[in-house]
Amino acid sequence: MMAATDTLAAPPRAATRPTPAIRRRRRPGIGNVVWGVVAWLVGILFFFPVLWMVLSSFKTEAAAYTNVPQFVFSPTLAEYRHVFSSGVGSYFLNSAIATVVSVVAVLLLGTPAAFALSLRPIKKTSDALFFFLSTKMLPIVAAIIPLFVAAEAVHMLDNVWTLVILYTAMNLPIAVWMMRSFLLEVPSELLEAAEMDGARLWRSLREVILPVVSPGLAATALICAIFAWNEFFFAVNITAARAATVPVFLVGFISSQGLYWAQLAAAATIATLPVVLAGWVAQRQLVRGLSFGAIK
Amino acid sequence: MADVCYDEATCIYAGADRPAVDALNLDIKDGEFVVLVGPSGSGKSTALRMLAGLEEIDAGSIRIGGRDMVGVPSRDRDIAMVFQNYALYPNKTVAENMGFSLKMHGVSKEERQRRVREAARLLDLEPLLGRKPKHLSGGQRQRVAMGRAIVREPQVFCMDEPLSNLDAKLRVQTRTQIAALQRRLGVTTVYVTHDQVEAMTMGDRVAVLRDGRLQQFATPGELYDRPVNLFVAGFIGSPAMNQLNVDVDAGALRVGETVVPLSAAQATAVAGLSRVTLGVRPEHLSVGGGELKLQVDLVEELGSDSYVYGHLVAEPDTSLVARAGRGRFRMGETVGIGFDPGQLHLFHPDSGERLGP
Amino acid sequence: MTAVTAPSAVPVGTIRSRSTRQVSWSRRAPLLPALVFVVVVTQVPFVVTIWYSLNSWNLVRPGSRQFVGLANYVHVATDVQFRTALVNTVVLTAGTVIISMVIGVALAVLLDRKFLGRSVVRTLLITPFLVMPVAAALLWKTAMFDPTFGIVDYVLGPLVGHVVWLSRFPLASVMVEMIWQWTPFMMLLVLAGLQSMPTDVVEAAGVDGARPFAIFRELTLPHLRRYIELGVVLGAIYVVNEFDSIYMMTQGGPGVSSTNLPYYIYERAFLGFDVGQSAAMGVVVLAGTILVATIALRLIFTSFTGREEAA
Ligand SMILES: Nc1ncnc2c1ncn2[C@@H]1O[C@H](COP(=O)(O)OP(=O)(O)O)[C@@H](O)[C@H]1O
Ligand SMILES: [Mg+2]
């Protein structure tokens, strides 16, 4: 009887509820607002140094050097003009070549390998996989001397193609693991269906598998590009004036120009911008790449 | 079109301790619709994939149209397959999906279009030809997968649980459509399912598998009337056949206090045994008209009729289910059960093999 | 029943060998280019390093190269600066990884809630990780830690007085910069873990009467464990090799107070030109890394990949 009364009484009560409460089952409590504010504050705190760098790059040198940080100033592009006139172009070109060519090479080498390790597993698959992974954790300092000596022996010091080779090797393990994790999500029936339809392996790869994994291919390329673009250790040790990349330019800029913060901020902002933008766009793929595909 | 012959065909997965398919023998006639049925893990899919060339034939052979398929890759077998999850190419339209195999076989574009359109008409897919698979409903995807198979006019269709991703109602509908389509095209078909109703309604003949072994290969009627062992008897039919361990007494069976007479052939078959396993289908027990007393535990009303679950008064450990008309019996009631001597199945109490005719 | 217990009907002799040589090669071939390339570029140098480590060789003195056996290793073992660098490496790695993981977990929990502008905050938070490491180090060295116009001194000065951070606390300063860069990485990993948490389990626990904190402790943390482990291992792999920030911020100084092993080896090789010694140090580091990381990596990735591939 009680239950019956309750159900009868319910409809009118529900009807008098304000509309938003019906749409959203739980209104964001005061707790959530507090947490939101905390999150925003922390976010701004973490972002502040970057913001400061960008702001400083629009200041004059005098405005950048103040004991009391200035947030209000009249912006100028003078420092950017200065940086561009200091020949940053060739460094950008070197970085671009090293990045683009090494990424293409990584995809060309890594995709078939990932394929062999996922869709058609071979014997010792996991051994091969862990071999790739283990190369990534070896300290590169321990390899730099022979690499330096070898590059010198074949007259490839200060040569952007040496960087291409090194960056390809550096990024291959990430690419293999990452591509494999994308390929594992492709149902094996798809390849079987193509095979039954009479397609040879290469044909089914190109026509069936590749279109399915192309987003993964793009994500892999992006991650490898970020690593190549930001790489400093190889670049500083085996390049000089001719093949130096953007990070080396930044370092060189300090020594040749002295510590002029506004100017440096402009240079650093330019150097950083491509990767930050790319990373913002591809946040989800970032996790996947950094975790070698372990996290979806 | 061709006949298919499994000849001691065996598949052993690497690392497995027993074959997934063990010396399978099946003779499938040209144009026949054969269903492989069995519980999950019984090797149905493996048997089908061996025919399709997706698993290796480790021993024995499989012949299609008399040609040995050992070592022949899938694409050279002239077989089409419908996968459980359909395996449609996500980046291709329905028309491209259906035409892909023709393209791979170098069929001209006009011919391709003609055949795709023809198959689409057969399956009501014409308005969908330009769509991508992700814009299709489950039933439509299933039809596209069918279309992709029939457009090739292959020698053999392989289907691995093609209906299991559909809802119950659509499944029943599609079941009859597939069966009708196959009869019309006359293409030899091997169809895998775990659902015995599907097997019984669709197959010309049904092969029952268990643990990689063939149990029985017969028409649905034969499977129902003369299951070769307790496993087949229990697997075919719903609710499952009642199984009672009973004493043999002078050419008759003794169930509790009741004596069930046997035919001469049956009596010969049980000669020398003191106990047998008696199998009776629920629909062959007459409720209310017999001497055997059954205490009713539960009545399942189905609308058209009802199933009465209960236990024998004389042997409380023995449970039975019987089909009865609707609404006549109630829980707790004691009713009389009668046997039809012509509808009894006798099995060896240890091996479970069928005894007698 | 006979059907179950009878032995396999297949006579053993008739079973064909499964993988013909041809098949296995066609499956292995796609792997080979990548494998060969990686071996040649990344593995051969390590072997050469081992050879170099057995020689005395100074690049600026041509003809100085000669085989000295294990002499370089004896030297490394007695090198006090090497030991300092080792300790610094451990401190820097452990400190960076642990602190950024703790902050990362907190931030991830914060970001797992719904609030206005959540994706914007997330974007802000991951930005430090995307900044080019060299630029980040430069930024912290000049704009943040500068003794006269740095922000850190401006904010903390009134509280703790004027401090020249980079020379008073060089290692800690480097660590702060690295934590700033690595916290987003940890946060992203843990956030992925939180978001992969099945909601029905949490709802079931709620129905069972568990309070939010109990749910976090009993369900969320155990679920997050492997994500945290993964973050720690991967973070450690990257951070142990850190070179950029030390090169940019302190040059390892003052003295060797903020020198880690990669930087020390670099210094010995490219500023001291002592190939043999730095190679020996490289080998020592290599051995240590292999020992620690193979075990950790395999454990964690096997738990993540879930299944070992069928051979
Ligand atoms: N790829 C595989 N590797 C190893 N064992 C397998 C594989 N596929 C199936 N099996 C095993 O083979 C047996 C038969 O499987 P399957 O043919 O898929 O059964 P069904 O389709 O009847 O459910 C099962 O025991 C299963 O565990
Ligand atoms: Mg199956």
Side-chain angles (χ1 to χ4, degrees):
Chain A
M1 273 320 283
M2 275 307 291
T5 331
D6 268 0
T7 22
L8 280 180
R13 230 194 291 157
T16 55
R17 267 190 211 156
T19 0
I22 290 176
R23 257 194 300 119
R24 236 187 272 161
R25 221 178 296 153
R26 219 187 306 149
R27 237 179 294 183
I30 189 76
N32 271 3
V33 172
V34 171
W35 284 118
V37 170
V38 172
W40 266 100
L41 288 179
V42 178
I44 289 167
L45 183 72
F46 264 78
F47 186 70
F48 176 77
V50 180
L51 179 70
W52 193 241
M53 174 176 86
V54 176
L55 285 180
S56 302
S57 71
F58 291 106
K59 293 178 183 173
T60 60
E61 216 56 73
Y65 271 108
T66 49
N67 281 335
V68 179
Q70 286 188 340
F71 286 91
V72 185
F73 56 91
S74 53
T76 163
L77 286 174
E79 302 305 332
Y80 282 95
R81 251 176 257 126
H82 191 142
V83 171
F84 280 114
S85 67
S86 67
V88 71
S90 73
Y91 298 93
F92 262 89
L93 189 65
N94 284 333
S95 268
I97 292 174
T99 302
V100 172
V101 180
S102 77
V103 166
V104 170
V106 160
L107 293 185
L108 287 181
L109 290 170
T111 312
F115 172 73
L117 295 173
S118 60
L119 288 181
R120 308 200 141 189
I122 52 165
K123 283 201 174 75
K124 312 231 160 144
T125 288
S126 72
D127 284 350
L129 272 170
F130 279 102
F131 167 74
F132 277 115
L133 188 58
S134 66
T135 64
K136 193 63 205 162
M137 81 210 180
L138 296 179
I140 42 171
V141 276
I144 189 69
I145 303 161
L147 288 173
F148 182 86
V149 172
E152 190 181 36
V154 295
H155 304 291
M156 278 183 65
L157 274 183
D158 197 14
N159 184 327
V160 74
W161 293 100
T162 314
L163 285 185
V164 168
I165 292 171
L166 292 175
Y167 291 176
T168 305
M170 169 182 91
N171 280 331
L172 253 177
I174 302 174
V176 168
W177 274 81
M178 213 174 151
M179 277 311 296
R180 175 175 164 274
S181 87
F182 282 111
L183 283 168
L184 281 180
E185 284 173 13
V186 179
S188 62
E189 286 91 351
L190 220 49
L191 198 60
E192 290 173 356
E195 194 177 330
M196 303 216 55
D197 276 348
R200 294 194 173 270
L201 182 59
W202 176 241
R203 193 79 190 259
S204 29
L205 282 186
R206 212 185 51 205
E207 288 220 21
V208 176
I209 304 296
L210 207 62
V212 179
V213 297
S214 55
L217 217 56
T220 310
L222 182 82
I223 296 289
C224 294
I226 290 178
F227 277 113
W229 183 267
N230 282 349
E231 205 284 334
F232 176 63
F233 184 72
F234 286 133
V236 77
N237 282 319
I238 64 164
T239 67
R242 204 149 45 85
T245 55
V246 172
V248 180
F249 160 79
L250 267 188
V251 178
F253 206 64
I254 301 176
S255 26
S256 67
Q257 309 280 324
L259 261 180
Y260 292 107
W261 171 231
Q263 208 176 84
L264 276 175
T269 303
I270 298 168
T272 297
L273 203 63
V275 165
V276 169
L277 290 182
W280 280 352
V281 172
Q283 294 187 19
R284 298 200 36 195
Q285 284 76 6
L286 206 59
V287 188
R288 192 160 183 155
L290 294 169
S291 68
F292 288 81
I295 291 177
K296 301 287 172 304
Chain B
M1 268 155 269
D3 57 331
V4 171
C5 175
Y6 284 77
D7 181 5
E8 299 284 314
T10 300
C11 177
I12 308 174
Y13 285 110
D17 49 0
R18 58 175 187 82
V21 171
D22 196 351
L24 179 63
N25 285 306
L26 290 176
D27 254 311
I28 300 167
K29 294 197 271 296
D30 187 10
E32 199 174 13
F33 194 119
V34 165
V35 179
L36 304 182
V37 72
S40 166
S42 56
K44 314 174 295 281
S45 296
T46 308
L48 187 74
R49 290 166 60 84
M50 287 162 77
L51 172 62
L54 301 173
E55 298 294 346
E56 258 153 279
I57 304 165
D58 290 312
S61 71
I62 294 178
R63 288 185 295 276
I64 300 176
R67 193 168 143 238
D68 191 352
M69 286 294 135
V70 173
V72 178
S74 304
R75 62 174 169 276
D76 299 334
R77 292 192 185 195
D78 198 11
I79 277 182
M81 181 141 167
V82 179
F83 292 85
Q84 179 171 355
N85 59 8
Y86 315 137
L88 301 180
Y89 309 126
N91 57 307
K92 296 188 187 299
T93 62
V94 169
E96 286 165 349
N97 260 284
M98 289 168 65
F100 186 65
S101 67
L102 299 178
K103 188 168 150 197
M104 289 300 110
H105 287 98
V107 176
S108 76
K109 198 167 176 195
E110 296 75 47
E111 172 71 1
R112 244 163 40 209
Q113 277 177 346
R114 191 185 61 73
R115 278 163 70 173
V116 167
R117 219 172 300 123
E118 195 179 325
R121 191 163 37 77
L122 215 55
L123 290 162
D124 271 339
L125 285 171
E126 278 169 311
L128 308 176
L129 281 175
R131 288 207 204 161
K132 293 269 173 77
K134 70 163 174 262
H135 299 298
L136 298 177
S137 71
Q140 291 169 335
R141 280 178 210 181
Q142 205 283 331
R143 295 213 303 277
V144 175
M146 287 295 300
R148 196 168 65 177
I150 66 172
V151 87
R152 291 181 45 186
E153 299 168 12
Q155 296 204 45
V156 182
F157 284 145
C158 294
M159 304 188 191
D160 192 350
E161 314 222 9
L163 304 183
S164 60
N165 285 344
L166 302 181
D167 64 57
K169 196 166 171 203
L170 199 54
R171 192 151 56 212
V172 174
Q173 243 174 42
T174 316
R175 186 166 90 193
T176 42
Q177 282 167 3
I178 290 182
L181 189 66
Q182 192 272 342
R183 306 273 124 93
R184 193 159 134 200
L185 299 171
V187 176
T188 315
T189 300
V190 183
Y191 183 105
V192 163
T193 179
H194 64 269
D195 178 355
Q196 55 101 12
V197 178
E198 235 170 72
M200 300 292 276
T201 50
M202 297 177 83
D204 292 324
R205 280 193 294 166
V206 176
V208 183
L209 292 178
R210 180 198 198 187
D211 294 332
R213 307 280 181 82
L214 180 64
Q215 304 293 307
Q216 188 169 4
F217 183 34
T219 62
E222 175 89 359
L223 281 182
Y224 182 81
D225 293 334
R226 291 178 36 83
V228 296
N229 58 28
L230 272 176
F231 174 76
V232 177
F235 193 77
I236 303 293
S238 170
M241 182 187 280
N242 293 297
Q243 300 178 4
L244 302 88
N245 283 317
V246 297
D247 291 328
V248 182
D249 190 2
L253 302 178
R254 183 174 293 282
V255 186
E257 297 304 305
T258 316
V259 173
V260 180
L262 293 178
S263 70
Q266 286 171 328
T268 320
V270 300
L273 291 170
S274 60
R275 280 177 80 77
V276 293
T277 303
L278 168 64
V280 198
R281 296 198 182 279
E283 52 271 39
H284 297 143
L285 287 170
S286 55
V287 187
E291 312 167 25
L292 193 60
K293 292 295 171 228
L294 184 80
Q295 168 124 34
V296 179
D297 297 325
L298 176 76
V299 180
E300 236 176 44
E301 287 288 351
L302 296 181
S304 55
D305 42 25
S306 62
Y307 286 101
V308 175
Y309 293 79
H311 59 270
L312 295 182
V313 174
E315 285 180 37
D317 290 343
T318 308
S319 315
L320 282 181
V321 50
R323 188 169 74 188
R326 56 185 294 184
R328 284 171 48 207
F329 304 101
R330 270 203 310 278
M331 218 171 93
E333 200 177 347
T334 301
V335 296
I337 295 279
F339 293 95
D340 175 354
Q343 301 281 14
L344 299 183
H345 305 267
L346 300 173
F347 301 97
H348 193 281
D350 304 321
S351 71
E353 299 297 324
R354 183 179 189 84
L355 298 169
Chain C
M1 272 175 254
T2 43
V4 188
T5 48
S8 160
V10 193
V12 178
T14 63
I15 295 174
R16 273 177 280 272
S17 111
R18 203 147 226 271
S19 49
T20 56
R21 195 156 288 168
Q22 216 177 358
V23 171
S24 71
W25 270 110
S26 81
R27 294 194 170 185
R28 226 165 281 189
L31 183 62
L32 285 180
L35 207 56
V36 170
F37 188 85
V38 167
V39 168
V40 169
V41 181
T42 71
Q43 303 302 292
V44 173
F46 288 119
V47 179
V48 178
T49 302
I50 295 176
W51 168 243
Y52 285 173
S53 73
L54 303 174
N55 286 273
S56 167
W57 182 12
N58 195 309
L59 278 182
V60 286
R61 275 180 279 133
S64 70
R65 188 170 171 181
Q66 81 188 85
F67 186 80
V68 294
L70 295 176
N72 284 322
Y73 289 93
V74 175
H75 214 266
V76 170
T78 55
D79 184 347
V80 183
Q81 297 193 329
F82 179 79
R83 242 173 290 161
T84 311
L86 179 65
V87 172
N88 285 346
T89 309
V90 173
V91 171
L92 190 64
T93 307
T96 304
V97 168
I98 292 171
I99 296 173
S100 46
M101 180 51 88
V102 171
I103 304 177
V105 170
L107 292 183
V109 171
L110 212 55
L111 276 195
D112 196 35
R113 296 161 170 273
K114 280 202 173 63
F115 58 86
L116 199 66
R118 178 163 75 153
S119 60
V120 179
V121 172
R122 193 175 108 132
T123 306
L124 292 181
L125 277 173
I126 65 163
T127 307
F129 186 75
L130 297 169
V131 174
M132 177 182 284
V134 170
L138 186 65
L139 165 66
W140 276 85
K141 174 185 177 157
T142 49
M144 296 291 128
F145 283 132
D146 190 275
T148 48
F149 69 101
I151 303 282
V152 172
D153 210 46
Y154 174 75
V155 175
L156 294 182
L159 303 174
V160 298
H162 178 74
V163 178
V164 185
W165 298 97
L166 280 173
S167 46
R168 275 285 296 283
F169 307 103
L171 198 61
S173 302
V174 171
M175 206 190 282
V176 167
E177 187 265 348
M178 288 179 66
I179 291 168
W180 178 71
Q181 283 224 287
W182 282 97
T183 298
F185 171 80
M186 304 299 186
M187 180 200 77
L188 280 175
L189 252 61
V190 176
L191 193 59
L194 280 175
Q195 287 171 348
S196 73
M197 181 93 185
T199 47
D200 53 351
V201 173
V202 175
E203 281 164 5
V207 172
D208 284 347
R211 303 202 162 274
F213 183 72
I215 293 178
F216 184 79
R217 202 189 48 212
E218 301 285 331
L219 295 172
T220 313
L221 266 189
H223 173 80
L224 285 184
R225 209 187 94 178
R226 51 200 208 118
Y227 290 85
I228 293 175
E229 286 171 349
L230 183 74
V232 167
V233 170
L234 289 177
I237 289 172
Y238 289 115
V239 172
V240 120
N241 285 317
E242 180 63 33
F243 173 79
D244 306 7
S245 21
I246 292 173
Y247 180 96
M248 291 301 293
M249 288 175 73
T250 64
Q251 302 268 311
V256 286
S257 58
S258 63
T259 299
N260 71 350
L261 286 173
Y263 189 78
Y264 189 56
I265 296 173
Y266 154 83
E267 236 179 19
R268 295 299 292 261
F270 289 95
L271 306 178
F273 301 107
D274 194 341
V275 172
Q277 293 248 335
S278 49
M281 292 177 205
V283 172
V284 172
V285 175
L286 187 63
T289 325
I290 289 176
L291 202 71
V292 178
T294 16
I295 306 163
L297 275 186
R298 210 168 251 271
L299 278 181
I300 284 178
F301 272 90
T302 325
S303 102
F304 252 97
T305 326
R307 60 192 157 116
E308 281 287 79
E309 281 70 27

